[in-house]
PDB file of all heavy atoms in Angstrom:
ATOM      1  N   TYR V  59      -1.746  15.827  -0.261  1.00 77.00           N
ATOM      2  CA  TYR V  59      -1.219  14.596  -0.861  1.00 77.00           C
ATOM      3  C   TYR V  59      -0.210  13.938   0.075  1.00 77.00           C
ATOM      4  O   TYR V  59      -0.185  12.705   0.232  1.00 77.00           O
ATOM      5  CB  TYR V  59      -0.549  14.897  -2.205  1.00 77.00           C
ATOM      6  CG  TYR V  59      -1.489  15.369  -3.294  1.00 77.00           C
ATOM      7  CD1 TYR V  59      -1.004  15.880  -4.488  1.00 77.00           C
ATOM      8  CD2 TYR V  59      -2.874  15.303  -3.120  1.00 77.00           C
ATOM      9  CE1 TYR V  59      -1.860  16.312  -5.491  1.00 77.00           C
ATOM     10  CE2 TYR V  59      -3.734  15.732  -4.113  1.00 77.00           C
ATOM     11  CZ  TYR V  59      -3.224  16.244  -5.294  1.00 77.00           C
ATOM     12  OH  TYR V  59      -4.065  16.663  -6.282  1.00 77.00           O
ATOM     13  N   ILE V  62      -2.023  12.127   2.805  1.00 78.00           N
ATOM     14  CA  ILE V  62      -2.572  10.848   2.347  1.00 78.00           C
ATOM     15  C   ILE V  62      -1.463   9.799   2.253  1.00 78.00           C
ATOM     16  O   ILE V  62      -1.608   8.660   2.719  1.00 78.00           O
ATOM     17  CB  ILE V  62      -3.275  11.017   0.992  1.00 78.00           C
ATOM     18  CG1 ILE V  62      -4.556  11.855   1.168  1.00 78.00           C
ATOM     19  CG2 ILE V  62      -3.616   9.663   0.376  1.00 78.00           C
ATOM     20  CD1 ILE V  62      -5.273  12.171  -0.117  1.00 78.00           C
ATOM     21  N   THR V 208      -6.476  15.299 -10.633  1.00 75.00           N
ATOM     22  CA  THR V 208      -5.858  15.748  -9.384  1.00 75.00           C
ATOM     23  C   THR V 208      -6.875  15.965  -8.271  1.00 75.00           C
ATOM     24  O   THR V 208      -6.501  16.063  -7.105  1.00 75.00           O
ATOM     25  CB  THR V 208      -5.081  17.057  -9.604  1.00 75.00           C
ATOM     26  OG1 THR V 208      -5.931  18.021 -10.245  1.00 75.00           O
ATOM     27  CG2 THR V 208      -3.851  16.822 -10.455  1.00 75.00           C
ATOM     28  N   ILE V 210      -9.901  13.919  -7.880  1.00 82.00           N
ATOM     29  CA  ILE V 210     -10.558  12.708  -7.384  1.00 82.00           C
ATOM     30  C   ILE V 210      -9.616  11.535  -7.130  1.00 82.00           C
ATOM     31  O   ILE V 210      -9.945  10.643  -6.349  1.00 82.00           O
ATOM     32  CB  ILE V 210     -11.700  12.253  -8.320  1.00 82.00           C
ATOM     33  CG1 ILE V 210     -11.164  11.834  -9.692  1.00 82.00           C
ATOM     34  CG2 ILE V 210     -12.735  13.333  -8.457  1.00 82.00           C
ATOM     35  CD1 ILE V 210     -12.246  11.181 -10.560  1.00 82.00           C
ATOM     36  N   PHE V 211      -8.435  11.513  -7.772  1.00 83.00           N
ATOM     37  CA  PHE V 211      -7.545  10.376  -7.537  1.00 83.00           C
ATOM     38  C   PHE V 211      -7.104  10.256  -6.083  1.00 83.00           C
ATOM     39  O   PHE V 211      -7.040   9.148  -5.549  1.00 83.00           O
ATOM     40  CB  PHE V 211      -6.329  10.443  -8.458  1.00 83.00           C
ATOM     41  CG  PHE V 211      -5.417   9.255  -8.318  1.00 83.00           C
ATOM     42  CD1 PHE V 211      -5.821   7.993  -8.747  1.00 83.00           C
ATOM     43  CD2 PHE V 211      -4.169   9.378  -7.743  1.00 83.00           C
ATOM     44  CE1 PHE V 211      -4.999   6.891  -8.610  1.00 83.00           C
ATOM     45  CE2 PHE V 211      -3.332   8.285  -7.606  1.00 83.00           C
ATOM     46  CZ  PHE V 211      -3.752   7.036  -8.038  1.00 83.00           C
ATOM     47  N   PRO V 212      -6.777  11.364  -5.377  1.00 81.00           N
ATOM     48  CA  PRO V 212      -6.422  11.227  -3.958  1.00 81.00           C
ATOM     49  C   PRO V 212      -7.534  10.619  -3.117  1.00 81.00           C
ATOM     50  O   PRO V 212      -7.285   9.809  -2.222  1.00 81.00           O
ATOM     51  CB  PRO V 212      -6.115  12.669  -3.525  1.00 81.00           C
ATOM     52  CG  PRO V 212      -5.757  13.375  -4.780  1.00 81.00           C
ATOM     53  CD  PRO V 212      -6.606  12.757  -5.840  1.00 81.00           C
ATOM     54  N   VAL V 213      -8.775  11.004  -3.394  1.00 84.00           N
ATOM     55  CA  VAL V 213      -9.911  10.456  -2.645  1.00 84.00           C
ATOM     56  C   VAL V 213     -10.096   8.980  -2.962  1.00 84.00           C
ATOM     57  O   VAL V 213     -10.360   8.153  -2.080  1.00 84.00           O
ATOM     58  CB  VAL V 213     -11.205  11.236  -2.967  1.00 84.00           C
ATOM     59  CG1 VAL V 213     -12.383  10.672  -2.179  1.00 84.00           C
ATOM     60  CG2 VAL V 213     -11.027  12.719  -2.663  1.00 84.00           C
ATOM     61  N   GLU V 214      -9.917   8.625  -4.235  1.00 87.00           N
ATOM     62  CA  GLU V 214     -10.022   7.212  -4.643  1.00 87.00           C
ATOM     63  C   GLU V 214      -8.972   6.362  -3.932  1.00 87.00           C
ATOM     64  O   GLU V 214      -9.274   5.283  -3.404  1.00 87.00           O
ATOM     65  CB  GLU V 214      -9.842   7.110  -6.154  1.00 87.00           C
ATOM     66  CG  GLU V 214      -9.820   5.683  -6.680  1.00 87.00           C
ATOM     67  CD  GLU V 214      -9.347   5.592  -8.113  1.00 87.00           C
ATOM     68  OE1 GLU V 214      -9.231   6.653  -8.779  1.00 87.00           O
ATOM     69  OE2 GLU V 214      -9.084   4.466  -8.580  1.00 87.00           O
ATOM     70  N   LEU V 215      -7.734   6.854  -3.909  1.00 82.00           N
ATOM     71  CA  LEU V 215      -6.642   6.111  -3.290  1.00 82.00           C
ATOM     72  C   LEU V 215      -6.863   5.937  -1.796  1.00 82.00           C
ATOM     73  O   LEU V 215      -6.682   4.842  -1.249  1.00 82.00           O
ATOM     74  CB  LEU V 215      -5.317   6.834  -3.542  1.00 82.00           C
ATOM     75  CG  LEU V 215      -4.069   6.239  -2.892  1.00 82.00           C
ATOM     76  CD1 LEU V 215      -3.809   4.833  -3.413  1.00 82.00           C
ATOM     77  CD2 LEU V 215      -2.860   7.130  -3.148  1.00 82.00           C
ATOM     78  N   ALA V 216      -7.274   7.016  -1.129  1.00 81.00           N
ATOM     79  CA  ALA V 216      -7.509   6.933   0.311  1.00 81.00           C
ATOM     80  C   ALA V 216      -8.673   5.998   0.630  1.00 81.00           C
ATOM     81  O   ALA V 216      -8.616   5.214   1.583  1.00 81.00           O
ATOM     82  CB  ALA V 216      -7.778   8.331   0.874  1.00 81.00           C
TER      83      ALA V 216
END
Side-chain angles (χ1 to χ4, degrees):
Y59 294 170
I62 291 176
T208 52
I210 65 171
F211 183 69
V213 180
E214 175 192 349
L215 176 62

